[in-house]
Amino acid sequence: TLLEPPEEIEDGTHPTFAWKPVPGAQSYEVEVLDDRGALVWGAKTGETSVTLSDPRLLPPGKSYRWWVRATTASGNQRASAVRSLRIRKR
């Protein structure tokens, strides 16, 4: 289950992408896609959240989609639902 960021954030914000833990997960991969489905930003972590360090990667006035994939020690993967994200101009 995806927890944050909300579906709309202000330009210049360092969004934190957070989700509920998946039982048995060893790692998580977060992907942010543009409106054409191209990867804009991604990260791999062992935690249940990751913060985008450079908000310039997500220009304002555009819509994005993001999701998380969990991988267990045995290599099984589970993907979250996809959530929308819009960057509001100041």
Side-chain angles (χ1 to χ4, degrees):
T1 303
L2 302 176
L3 301 175
E4 61 177 300
E7 290 193 19
E8 186 171 285
I9 61 173
E10 188 172 300
D11 177 31
T13 303
H14 294 264
T16 295
F17 296 87
W19 53 92
K20 288 187 178 179
V22 173
Q26 295 277 307
S27 65
Y28 300 94
E29 288 181 75
V30 181
E31 292 187 346
V32 179
L33 310 173
D34 67 15
D35 57 358
R36 292 174 289 175
L39 180 67
V40 176
W41 179 77
K44 188 171 183 177
T45 182
E47 305 299 320
T48 56
S49 68
V50 64
T51 300
L52 177 69
S53 60
D54 186 356
R56 294 174 296 176
L57 294 172
L58 303 178
K62 296 187 178 184
S63 294
Y64 302 92
R65 294 175 309 205
W66 70 281
W67 64 292
V68 176
R69 179 175 44 241
T71 302
T72 64
S74 61
N76 293 329
Q77 295 185 335
R78 284 183 52 192
S80 70
V82 176
R83 182 182 266 188
S84 296
L85 176 63
R86 180 155 178 79
I87 311 302
R88 181 178 61 242
K89 292 181 182 180
R90 288 185 190 200

